[in-house]
Amino acid sequence: LRDVKDTEASRSFTVIQYQNDVIRVTDESNTYEVDSEGGQVVINLESNVSDYSVQIGNSADWITVSYGSGTRGLVPSKVVLNVAANRTEAERSAQVFIVDEESGAKTQVQIKQKFTSFLKVQQTSYTIDENGGEIRINVNTNVTFDCLVNPIDSWVKVIRNRETVDENTVCQKLSIDRFTEKEQKRVSKVSIENMSFEEQVIVTITQTRDLY
């Protein structure tokens, strides 16, 4: 500030303006739903902070950050989350916080993941000869299951030690006794089931014998 009549009479001061730090979700909802098999969630943001961090709440190790970084200026940006397949046999949810530690600006969203059960077998009938042996049933499922044999079919025995084939497939093994009766064949129905989810598959075991 100067006196126009006295150029030596002046005073100065400084004006400092701080930005209003903003992180906000531009999607219609702050809740994102993911199906049982998982996948990616893209969170669209507007922000004017740099180097914001993405924090996963509830110790939810089934969510990981694929991409997320801050920007300067109120411009579009995004956070990409990877959600693992749900093997918990229940729906689950977690809070995700997007935070700038320096300014305190933050927002949060909720990730909800459904659980849809499935249980099926690669083959519904097996035939084995009179010598007996082992039958291997590949069960494709995301739930625990029981393998039940009719008690009167004592010649079919469930082997409790299952093998994992891949992420969704388990091998259920059956032990079949020798067939010594003078009959052409015998048949047993084996139930693979999880009744909590009303999932059931019937597998037919047929044992044949050559007649001498």
Side-chain angles (χ1 to χ4, degrees), residues 77-141:
S77 62
K78 65 181 178 180
V79 169
V80 179
L81 304 176
N82 291 324
V83 179
N86 189 354
R87 298 288 180 265
T88 65
E89 301 190 24
E91 293 186 354
R92 58 186 177 181
S93 64
Q95 298 291 329
V96 175
F97 303 91
I98 303 165
V99 181
D100 179 62
E101 300 289 352
E102 183 178 348
S103 67
K106 66 178 180 180
T107 190
Q108 71 182 65
V109 299
Q110 185 176 35
I111 307 298
K112 289 184 176 181
Q113 188 172 29
K114 302 175 183 178
F115 180 79
T116 304
S117 65
F118 62 86
L119 188 152
K120 55 187 177 181
V121 295
Q122 294 180 0
Q123 190 173 332
T124 57
S125 63
Y126 294 82
T127 300
I128 192 168
D129 65 25
E130 62 201 70
N131 293 315
E134 186 177 274
I135 290 177
R136 300 168 64 88
I137 304 171
N138 283 339
V139 183
N140 185 248
T141 186

Side-chain angles (χ1 to χ4, degrees), residues 2 4 29 32 35 55 57 60 78 96 101 112 119 129 138 143 154 161 166 170 175 189-190 193 198 209 212:
R2 282 190 170 83
V4 295
S29 172
Y32 298 82
D35 64 23
Q55 302 169 7
K78 65 181 178 180
V96 175
E101 300 289 352
K112 289 184 176 181
L119 188 152
D129 65 25
N138 283 339
V143 297
S154 59
N161 184 25
D166 56 40
V170 176
S175 176
K189 301 289 187 181
V190 177
E193 61 184 48
E198 298 182 348
R209 182 169 191 253
Y212 298 71

Side-chain angles (χ1 to χ4, degrees), residues 145-149 157-163 170-175:
F145 63 89
D146 295 318
C147 183
L148 305 177
V149 179
K157 296 178 176 61
V158 177
I159 299 176
R160 298 301 175 186
N161 184 25
R162 296 170 179 166
E163 294 179 8
V170 176
C171 178
Q172 172 65 65
K173 294 178 284 186
L174 302 176
S175 176

